[in-house]
Amino acid sequence: MATPIGNLKDITLRAIEILKEADFILCEDSRQTIKLLQKYGISKPLVSYFQHSKVAKTDYILEQLEKGKKLALVTDAGTPGISDPGNQLIELVVSRLPDVQIIPLPGPSALVAALSVSGFPTDKFIFMGFPPQKKGREKFFKKVAEAEYTVTFYESTHRILKTLEQLGKSLKTNTFNLKPNIVVCRELTKKFETIYRGSVDEIIEQLNKDKNALKGEFVIAVWK
């Protein structure tokens, strides 16, 4: 089920209802999930589930489902399975327990929030997750530069400037001197939410003017 990407008020009534009904909650980081539960007066057992969870943890989850337990899967923020290991668990449940009902609860998504304010065409778009940290970065940005449609992807505090610099180089190589439009969204729905618009160079300049602007989570949208 989708959970707020920042502002804890961005949760559906249905999501609160399901969290209260669940026998236990699978979460990425219990320290994050507990904040949401406390706000809405929900007390449920939490079980951590993330990309590197051991087989024993997965087997335990499947055992609970076989017993008829109701599990709610959440991520730290946003929609599980979208650039998130939740999709691996769902694939496993589908293959091992085909009779178990899996119900999606839609809600917040950082990439959709960013696209909704980008002003870019969104009838077709490409989502590329996070850029590789090491191997494959050049290929990643080349794909962004060559994309026919609006592209969106995520980046962290520590790599945002490096990523924008690499993106700028790729765009200059592949857009025949056109000036691509970029939107960078920082800390969406949170207190210091900021949306930057312009060329890559213009946005880098804006970020460098205020080092506090380099803090937080980022969503980048590109349209040529």
Side-chain angles (χ1 to χ4, degrees):
M1 89 174 48
T3 55
I5 60 176
N7 191 318
L8 294 183
K9 294 179 181 178
D10 292 335
I11 189 168
T12 67
L13 295 175
R14 185 181 174 209
I16 294 173
E17 182 180 275
I18 295 300
L19 286 171
K20 290 179 177 179
E21 292 178 356
D23 291 306
F24 65 92
I25 299 168
L26 302 179
C27 59
E28 194 172 359
D29 185 338
S30 59
R31 295 169 298 180
Q32 295 298 321
T33 301
I34 198 68
K35 297 175 185 177
L36 177 66
L37 298 183
Q38 288 176 341
K39 179 170 179 64
Y40 292 100
I42 301 171
S43 178
K44 291 289 178 177
L46 299 177
V47 175
S48 63
Y49 178 79
F50 46 90
Q51 185 174 0
H52 302 293
S53 290
K54 296 180 180 179
V55 173
K57 177 67 67 67
T58 304
D59 287 343
Y60 172 76
I61 294 170
L62 294 176
E63 288 171 7
Q64 298 308 304
L65 289 170
E66 285 185 299
K67 292 177 181 178
K69 298 290 186 179
K70 294 181 179 179
L71 312 186
L73 172 64
V74 302
T75 185
D76 283 352
T79 303
I82 306 300
S83 194
D84 168 81
N87 64 316
Q88 299 171 15
L89 178 61
I90 292 170
E91 181 183 16
L92 188 62
V93 172
V94 169
S95 62
R96 299 254 304 257
L97 301 173
D99 293 330
V100 169
Q101 188 177 17
I102 301 173
I103 302 172
L105 268 73
S109 171
L111 76 97
V112 174
L115 285 170
S116 73
V117 296
S118 69
F120 298 164
T122 54
D123 52 329
K124 296 179 182 179
F125 65 87
I126 300 169
F127 173 59
M128 296 183 62
F130 282 90
Q133 293 187 26
K134 295 181 180 179
K135 186 177 180 181
R137 283 180 67 86
E138 185 175 342
K139 184 177 180 181
F140 178 96
F141 293 114
K142 183 179 180 182
K143 287 183 177 180
V144 174
E146 294 177 346
E148 184 178 353
Y149 308 115
T150 297
V151 179
T152 183
F153 60 93
Y154 296 151
E155 192 50 282
S156 68
T157 297
H158 308 295
R159 288 184 292 275
I160 183 63
L161 285 180
K162 180 180 179 181
T163 286
L164 289 174
E165 289 168 359
Q166 287 188 268
L167 174 63
K169 291 178 181 177
S170 294
L171 289 171
K172 289 175 183 176
T173 302
N174 292 284
T175 57
F176 305 100
N177 295 319
L178 296 177
K179 189 176 181 181
N181 294 300
I182 311 292
V183 169
V184 175
C185 300
R186 181 177 79 94
E187 293 287 80
L188 283 171
T189 80
K190 300 178 184 177
K191 182 179 180 180
F192 297 106
E193 173 183 278
T194 313
I195 299 174
Y196 304 93
R197 303 174 188 270
S199 68
V200 172
D201 290 340
E202 289 168 344
I203 292 174
I204 289 175
E205 183 179 355
Q206 292 176 62
L207 291 175
N208 277 321
K209 283 181 179 178
D210 179 8
K211 293 301 179 181
N212 286 325
L214 300 177
K215 298 177 182 178
E217 300 296 323
F218 294 83
V219 186
I220 297 99
V222 183
W223 178 55
K224 301 187 296 297

